[in-house]
Amino acid sequence: MDASWTSSNPLALHGRHFGRTVFALCNYPALLTAGILRLEDLQDSPIEDYPAEVFMELIDSYPGLLARLTDGDEEDIIHVGELLGKGASGARGDDTKTLKSAVLEWLVPRGQPLIPPLSRNMKSDRGFNHEVTGRLLCPAGLDWSNAETKQSLKSGEIAVRGDQWPVFLYSGYEYDPDDPWKGLLKSEILIFGFKHVFTSPSLVDREPKAMRSGNAYLHGMKSVTKGSLAYIATQIRFSLSSSSVFSRTDTVTDSEIFYHSILDLLEDPDEIEEVTDLMTWWTSRVFPNSSSQRTISKNSALFKIRAKCAALLATTGTN
């Protein structure tokens, strides 16, 4: 399949955005095949390891996709899945490549040197091999300043699983064991990474404005999604690591387990209050001009119309 044609194909383009914002690590042909079988009641088993909601969200996000899948044969379904998958993996590869260099600008305050310096092209000296990246990747609850802990992490004696979240996820890079939600997924480096991928690299350390050149604008994205937050966390974690190639099955970085552990928390109905507050916090910082974040001026005609409507509804409700 010609690479230039694939990159401009509408399904591949949709796969790029869907992978970044909804579900990144996915076997799309398998997802579509199992999803169609479930719709036709031909099987009652889980869709691979993915929630059924992922399939339905994919169908709903692309007009005409369901008809194309149900009217086509198995080969058509696999072809569509491959296009979506190529888009998603292409976007992930592009982001991995640009973040590898960009993340070095976010490790220390602007104007301060990174000591020792890190290569923009080689990653072997990152991870637990470097004081700064090691501190950021240190699992929450472990003390990076402890020489024995530091050496054990560096040597691999302490193997870090994907569900052992690094301290860089926390605001100020500080973890409170008595309140593990405090500052979680609110760190500066995550905000920088999100803006780099979704708005515009030039807006990383400034307030977002028009964002006409960013991926968010191109796809009509006006709020931060749970999938996009888990995706950025996974990308930043990988960019800080010493691993050179992103792979779902890499047991060293354990990226797939990490991604799913973040997404599982954000999708947990028992955590809905904290998650709702978190997503509102994120959207207000990345998309401050979105309609959901704007307050209506009290001296405007719109404010008076809304107030009159609210008063009428209140009167009707008391009768």
Side-chain angles (χ1 to χ4, degrees), residues 31-196:
L31 175 70
L32 294 181
T33 300
I36 291 299
L37 289 175
R38 282 175 62 88
L39 286 179
E40 296 175 349
D41 293 324
L42 296 180
Q43 72 176 42
D44 190 27
S45 58
I47 302 176
E48 285 283 296
D49 296 322
Y50 320 126
E53 291 80 4
V54 174
F55 172 75
M56 296 309 302
E57 190 161 352
L58 177 58
I59 292 299
D60 292 340
S61 67
Y62 194 93
L65 180 58
L66 180 58
R68 179 169 178 175
L69 294 174
T70 53
D71 294 342
D73 55 23
E74 183 178 356
E75 187 175 329
D76 294 325
I77 295 173
I78 292 175
H79 177 64
V80 169
E82 288 176 343
L83 286 172
L84 290 166
K86 285 181 182 296
S89 62
R92 186 170 68 245
D94 290 345
D95 296 336
T96 298
K97 182 179 180 179
T98 60
L99 283 167
K100 179 171 69 172
S101 174
V103 75
L104 300 183
E105 304 294 331
W106 312 328
L107 299 181
V108 293
R110 180 178 291 275
Q112 292 187 16
L114 179 62
I115 302 174
L118 285 169
S119 169
R120 291 182 175 273
N121 299 316
M122 300 289 290
K123 295 186 65 187
S124 57
D125 51 356
R126 301 187 189 186
F128 297 122
N129 300 317
H130 192 278
E131 180 65 27
V132 177
T133 55
R135 178 174 62 86
L136 294 175
L137 287 170
C138 183
L142 295 185
D143 183 6
W144 176 251
S145 64
N146 180 283
E148 185 177 344
T149 298
K150 185 182 298 186
Q151 181 56 37
S152 295
L153 287 168
K154 186 175 181 179
S155 67
E157 182 181 346
I158 295 179
V160 180
R161 290 174 48 89
D163 58 2
Q164 291 178 279
W165 293 343
V167 75
F168 82 77
L169 294 181
Y170 285 88
S171 176
Y173 310 134
E174 294 184 3
Y175 165 70
D176 183 352
D178 295 323
D179 186 6
W181 258 111
K182 183 180 180 180
L184 178 61
L185 296 170
K186 291 184 177 181
S187 67
E188 185 178 59
I189 199 169
L190 285 180
I191 297 174
F192 287 163
F194 195 100
K195 290 181 178 180
H196 177 89

Side-chain angles (χ1 to χ4, degrees), residues 185-216:
L185 296 170
K186 291 184 177 181
S187 67
E188 185 178 59
I189 199 169
L190 285 180
I191 297 174
F192 287 163
F194 195 100
K195 290 181 178 180
H196 177 89
V197 170
F198 288 103
T199 58
S200 172
S202 63
L203 295 175
V204 163
D205 56 358
R206 301 200 305 273
E207 288 299 315
K209 295 181 181 178
M211 303 182 299
R212 292 184 179 275
S213 62
N215 290 307

Side-chain angles (χ1 to χ4, degrees), residues 207-254:
E207 288 299 315
K209 295 181 181 178
M211 303 182 299
R212 292 184 179 275
S213 62
N215 290 307
Y217 177 81
L218 295 175
H219 293 275
M221 184 181 182
K222 297 180 179 179
S223 62
V224 176
T225 65
K226 299 169 185 175
S228 63
L229 188 49
Y231 176 79
I232 291 301
T234 303
Q235 284 282 9
I236 294 295
R237 181 174 177 267
F238 179 77
S239 70
L240 294 171
S241 76
S242 59
S243 295
S244 58
V245 179
F246 189 103
S247 172
R248 290 176 56 188
T249 57
D250 182 0
T251 56
V252 177
T253 58
D254 215 12

Side-chain angles (χ1 to χ4, degrees), residues 281-303:
W281 182 91
W282 263 94
T283 296
S284 68
R285 276 154 183 76
V286 181
F287 303 103
N289 297 321
S290 68
S291 58
S292 62
Q293 299 300 316
R294 289 199 301 265
T295 56
I296 302 173
S297 300
K298 291 187 177 182
N299 61 346
S300 68
L302 177 59
F303 180 85

